[in-house]
Amino acid sequence: MNDPELTLGMTFASKKQFREAVQNYGFKNGKDIRTIRNDALRVIVECSQDGCPWRIGLRKVFHSDAWRILNMVDVHEGCSWVWENSMVKADVVAKRWAKQLNNNPEWMMTKFRDTVTSEKGFYLSDQQAYKAMWKAKKQRIGDTEENFKKIWSYCAEMDRTNPRTRYKVKLSDLQDGETGQERFLRMYICWDASKQGFGHCRPLIGVDGCHLRSGSGGMLLTTVGVDVNDSLFPLAYAIVEGEKRESWSWFLKFLAEDLGITKDREHDYTFISDKQKGLIPAFEEIIPGVEHRFCVRHLHSNMKVAGFQGKAMKDALWECARATTRNSYTSALHKLRALDEEAYQWLGDKSPIEWSRSHFSTHTHCDMLVNNICESFNAALLGARDQPIIDCLETIRKMLMSKFFEQRQKAAGWKSMICPSIVGKLKKIEKQASGCLATQCDFFKFEVQQLYGGQHQVDLERKLVHVGIGI
Ligand SMILES: [Zn+2]
């Protein structure tokens, strides 16, 4: 309806629908269209510029509420783009611009007026701009309130259709001042499919938070796992009031329960994040034993903020991060130190366990350095973040459903015992390794002796092979 192509015989459900279509046509084409007849049976509209033949005759369809275009002259002659269009009314502008106004709550009237004017090419008075903004806001608040009222029925629907899924709703301790009603604070959802699937994922979990832009504020917290084919696997998510310790703790508590991260198994799991505000204290409180990785891209931007800039510095940092042995890490770090002693000191505060492959524990079976999984997931949710709460939750649910289905379809066609992207990686490594010769190093022998309690030589060599494979 935003860009209608009016044609002969076109039918409208109501006069109102036709009027909207004509308004949109007028805006789109810079024409001022006036109504010259409007009664119970007929509507006639024409181009308001003198001598222009453009007109449409609409007639009510017999025994129906519908209206149809019965005659039409679809040519403009001698009429130019109308800058001051009489059809530009606040409610029409509010409706057409609702989405943009929603996405840009910080817009002042002048900004809005100028954007409409320059992008659409018609004049909007200050008064019209104010009125349109006010109407759009009123509509948005109405939608938001309606959505919050639906939360309990949404929960009931989850119980009915997906009983093993876990959700939690927390209401605010503060009640609404005027009505005394309880107010929504947080909601957590972990679908049963995610819970079950996580059992087959790597024990690495990406955590991230992003702002919601529906006008009611709040944040969306998301967690994403890595499946055996190195694809992202969405886990739980929550809508909370903001990024702070209490909301992270609340979220992590349920997450740990749903993913089976019990006290004695905490050490088996690693979380990767941008160390958002309040996140680390929340981990300390709920699951203190888990390992952490700090997204290297984020570490690098912190480094730039701290004043250590330039490509050489960036490359040096990444070389440290990508180093796979402690020796190569140390030599990369020396290179960085040679570039800038202060940067080296700054980095000294940060444990390499959190950001260099050389220090990662191997049981994670994943050497990911950046929180890409969360970033791509959140990017896919960009549209959902503009929507009121129920619409937002539904968009996420539908996305998960189609993603899981798509992956399942793909996997059904796999023939090999090992997943395709891993086969690809192995092929690459195989080629690189083909030129290497195996030699025993004394230190390694010593470590193996420690491990197996110093057995005789033949046995030891066999174990070496074993350990090699283990690594
Ligand atoms: Zn015309």
Side-chain angles (χ1 to χ4, degrees), residues 310-330:
K311 178 143 191 331
M313 189 51 74
K314 184 183 175 183
D315 292 344
L317 179 78
W318 277 97
E319 198 183 329
C320 296
R322 291 199 185 101
T324 47
T325 62
R326 293 193 180 214
N327 282 345
S328 51
Y329 168 75
T330 314

Side-chain angles (χ1 to χ4, degrees), residues 190-202:
C190 182
W191 296 96
D192 188 45
S194 291
K195 265 193 269 186
Q196 287 186 28
F198 181 68
H200 307 279
C201 285
R202 299 173 196 277

Side-chain angles (χ1 to χ4, degrees), residues 389-413:
I389 186 162
I390 299 290
D391 299 340
C392 168
L393 292 171
E394 268 302 88
T395 307
I396 301 176
R397 181 190 65 81
K398 284 178 196 157
M399 209 193 91
L400 296 196
M401 191 172 73
S402 44
K403 172 131 193 97
F404 290 152
F405 179 72
E406 208 179 283
Q407 300 285 66
R408 179 188 283 250
Q409 294 291 96
K410 250 197 245 169

Side-chain angles (χ1 to χ4, degrees), residues 37-266:
R37 183 168 181 164
N38 182 7
D39 57 38
L41 285 178
R42 287 209 296 172
V43 178
I44 299 173
V45 294
E46 63 175 25
C47 179
S48 66
Q49 289 195 33
D50 288 340
C52 175
W54 189 95
R55 63 183 268 142
I56 289 179
L58 189 75
R59 206 176 172 72
K60 193 165 184 299
V61 178
F62 279 120
H63 309 298
S64 155
D65 290 335
W67 291 73
R68 184 171 296 148
I69 297 182
L70 276 195
N71 54 69
M72 173 170 191
V73 181
D74 195 13
V75 219
H76 288 274
E77 259 170 40
C79 69
S80 50
W81 183 279
V82 184
W83 159 250
E84 270 187 71
N85 197 325
S86 70
M87 292 195 307
V88 175
K89 301 222 166 52
D91 50 344
V92 183
V93 175
K95 206 167 170 186
R96 273 183 79 93
W97 284 78
K99 202 166 173 213
Q100 287 87 338
L101 283 167
N102 211 356
N103 292 348
N104 301 284
E106 75 287 354
W107 273 5
M108 303 300 278
M109 183 278 290
T110 45
K111 169 78 184 157
F112 173 59
R113 184 199 61 200
D114 294 348
T115 311
V116 173
T117 308
S118 59
E119 281 180 18
K120 296 294 166 194
F122 50 77
Y123 172 75
L124 191 65
S125 73
D126 290 0
Q127 208 186 357
Q128 283 170 328
Y130 260 128
K131 218 168 149 189
M133 285 180 84
W134 180 76
K135 285 199 171 185
K137 194 175 173 190
K138 211 172 134 193
Q139 178 66 40
R140 184 171 67 226
I141 292 172
D143 287 350
T144 310
E145 290 287 315
E146 276 308 302
N147 250 264
F148 278 115
K149 284 183 194 155
K150 285 186 206 150
I151 282 180
W152 297 120
S153 38
Y154 189 71
C155 293
E157 197 55 24
M158 275 197 276
D159 282 334
R160 191 181 71 81
T161 53
N162 216 310
R164 284 197 299 269
T165 283
R166 190 155 77 143
Y167 62 83
K168 290 278 169 190
V169 176
K170 184 173 168 62
L171 298 169
S172 169
D173 295 336
L174 301 167
Q175 288 182 343
D176 191 296
E178 282 169 32
T179 59
Q181 272 183 334
E182 287 178 305
R183 296 197 70 90
F184 173 86
L185 191 68
R186 300 171 191 152
M187 182 165 192
Y188 164 93
I189 299 177
C190 182
W191 296 96
D192 188 45
S194 291
K195 265 193 269 186
Q196 287 186 28
F198 181 68
H200 307 279
C201 285
R202 299 173 196 277
L204 181 88
I205 301 154
V207 190
D208 203 3
C210 54
H211 286 277
L212 293 174
R213 301 177 302 181
S214 65
S216 52
M219 298 214 55
L220 176 69
L221 310 183
T222 49
T223 45
V224 180
V226 188
D227 71 15
V228 281
N229 194 38
D230 282 352
S231 291
L232 67 87
F233 189 84
L235 302 169
Y237 49 93
I239 288 177
V240 298
E241 72 279 27
E243 254 183 345
K244 51 182 185 174
R245 196 186 64 96
E246 289 82 6
S247 44
W248 279 120
S249 300
W250 186 81
F251 178 60
L252 289 178
K253 184 173 167 280
F254 301 128
L255 181 77
E257 285 169 10
D258 282 336
L259 302 186
I261 308 178
T262 50
K263 273 271 163 279
D264 52 327
R265 294 196 57 204
E266 280 179 12

